[in-house]
Amino acid sequence: MAHIDDSLKAALYRITCPDSATLGNFHLGLLPEDAAKLIADHVAICPHCIREINQLEAFLAETAVSLEPSTVERIKVWIAKRLPSGGQTRSILGTPAFAMRGNDTGPLMYEAGDAQLSLEVQDDPEHLGRKSILGLVLGIETEAVAARLIKEEVVITAVTLDDLGNFSFTDLEPGTYELTLSGKDIEIHAQDLLI
Ligand SMILES: [Zn+2]
């Protein structure tokens, strides 16, 4: 049997190999002691099982990284809640600084954690058939906050907020968008924004 070829040797090894689930449990220390002892003895001499465990280890290391709290996960994420339109919220928050008057539907109002968001959707006067959005964010630090308009997971346009929390988008195709506001430690999502 000294000249047994490698592939046959491999096949013989694999006959006595524990299955992948057992190997995995062994690796994670989940097997009872005597079962673990048997597999430890086998793994010590089986190149295939060693390789399988190495692969498992690499896989676990990869997923462990993504489970660690990242800077992203320390960010407060708020889903903006649409408030009913009406004079009351409007008088509390005002309208965006450069909003045009005479829009009888009034701005769309949202509440997201500590932030209040007001969006005025209008026809873009400079681009026929296109829309513009005038936005105002109150209640949070608006320095270094970016507003992004997303359609089908693609960022269509992005701007930064001014000191007072104003921002605007122009030349937009009518449709349904998601608006995100992201700063150092907050992220606000306003979904299903129909313009
Ligand atoms: Zn084996």
Side-chain angles (χ1 to χ4, degrees), residues 98-170:
F98 36 78
M100 291 166 70
R101 305 290 154 174
N103 182 339
D104 50 6
T105 57
L108 306 172
M109 308 299 302
Y110 292 86
E111 196 173 63
D114 300 336
Q116 300 92 45
L117 169 63
S118 147
L119 299 176
E120 192 127 21
V121 179
Q122 301 173 337
D123 292 329
D124 186 334
E126 304 196 344
H127 301 93
L128 192 66
R130 310 283 278 186
K131 296 285 186 176
S132 68
I133 297 175
L134 302 171
L136 172 64
V137 182
L138 296 174
I140 56 164
E141 185 60 60
T142 55
E143 194 190 326
V145 172
R148 289 185 181 81
L149 209 53
I150 296 162
K151 189 174 196 180
E152 281 148 22
E153 302 189 5
V154 177
V155 177
I156 303 297
T157 178
V159 294
T160 51
L161 273 54
D162 73 11
D163 303 348
L164 300 173
N166 293 291
F167 63 95
S168 66
F169 297 115
T170 58

Side-chain angles (χ1 to χ4, degrees), residues 5-129:
D5 80 44
D6 279 342
S7 58
L8 179 55
K9 217 190 301 181
L12 288 175
Y13 267 123
R14 287 314 261 180
I15 288 169
T16 55
C17 285
D19 61 38
S20 300
T22 308
L23 261 190
N25 287 338
F26 164 74
H27 180 68
L28 295 172
L30 299 175
L31 292 184
E33 205 177 316
D34 38 359
K37 171 82 170 65
L38 278 177
I39 292 176
D41 289 344
H42 171 85
V43 168
I45 55 147
C46 176
H48 310 291
C49 286
I50 289 169
R51 197 174 54 222
E52 198 166 332
I53 284 182
N54 286 341
Q55 280 166 354
L56 179 66
E57 203 141 35
F59 171 73
L60 291 174
E62 248 171 63
T63 48
V65 171
S66 66
L67 294 178
E68 264 170 35
S70 67
T71 44
V72 173
E73 276 154 332
R74 280 195 292 274
I75 289 178
K76 282 181 244 166
V77 177
W78 291 322
I79 304 299
K81 230 180 33 219
R82 173 90 187 271
L83 301 175
S85 297
Q88 218 175 8
T89 42
R90 187 174 186 148
S91 66
I92 293 166
L93 293 175
T95 49
F98 36 78
M100 291 166 70
R101 305 290 154 174
N103 182 339
D104 50 6
T105 57
L108 306 172
M109 308 299 302
Y110 292 86
E111 196 173 63
D114 300 336
Q116 300 92 45
L117 169 63
S118 147
L119 299 176
E120 192 127 21
V121 179
Q122 301 173 337
D123 292 329
D124 186 334
E126 304 196 344
H127 301 93
L128 192 66

